[in-house]
Amino acid sequence: LQKLLILLHVTLCVIVGKTLMVLFPNAMKRYILKLGAKSRMNENPKFSYENWGPTFFSFKYLLFVLKVKWKRLEDEAYEGHPAPNTPVVTLDGEVRHLLDFMQDNRPLILNFGSCT
């Protein structure tokens, strides 16, 4: 039922978005550029609106958003319940699952960071 509701919601959003892009292309371009500015996509001079703007509200966009939203249904974590066994990629590029790294009853510690 959740997947069906997500399908209907995302499909409706894509139909409305695509319709608005056809009817009001300049206004939608400004709106999409504003979204790009929030995510800092606009800061890369080699990555112009023409590269990614027209892909909004396409069929590929619909499929991608559905895949992400459906995958997130499985990734819910609740206090006192087991952690989700999400896929992770090793430094060698191998896809494994988070709980593959558990050893006996030792706690598994995840350390997140970034180098910028």
Side-chain angles (χ1 to χ4, degrees), residues 3-115:
K3 283 188 175 184
L4 179 63
L5 291 174
I6 290 171
L7 172 66
L8 292 174
H9 179 256
V10 172
T11 302
L12 180 65
C13 289
V14 168
I15 290 170
V16 169
K18 191 62 154 180
T19 303
L20 291 173
M21 282 183 84
V22 170
L23 295 176
F24 309 103
N26 292 332
M28 286 302 288
K29 180 178 179 178
R30 284 192 307 271
Y31 174 73
I32 291 171
L33 285 171
K34 191 182 219 182
L35 292 176
K38 284 183 183 179
S39 66
R40 297 176 24 191
M41 287 172 58
N42 299 348
E43 292 179 11
N44 184 346
K46 295 181 182 179
F47 198 58
S48 66
Y49 172 81
E50 287 70 27
N51 292 65
W52 55 271
T55 65
F56 271 63
F57 310 117
S58 66
F59 185 68
K60 282 186 176 182
Y61 174 88
L62 170 73
L63 294 179
F64 176 76
V65 172
L66 285 175
K67 181 180 173 183
V68 169
K69 287 188 172 275
W70 285 346
K71 190 71 177 156
R72 286 188 178 163
L73 287 174
E74 303 166 7
D75 290 344
E76 292 183 294
Y78 300 98
E79 187 175 339
H81 290 82
N85 195 17
T86 59
V88 293
V89 180
T90 66
L91 294 175
D92 299 328
E94 179 185 356
V95 177
R96 308 242 331 249
H97 285 84
L98 186 63
L99 298 180
D100 293 344
F101 298 96
M102 291 288 297
Q103 295 178 3
D104 300 321
N105 284 336
R106 296 175 56 191
L108 178 64
I109 298 173
L110 302 176
N111 186 8
F112 297 93
S114 67
C115 297

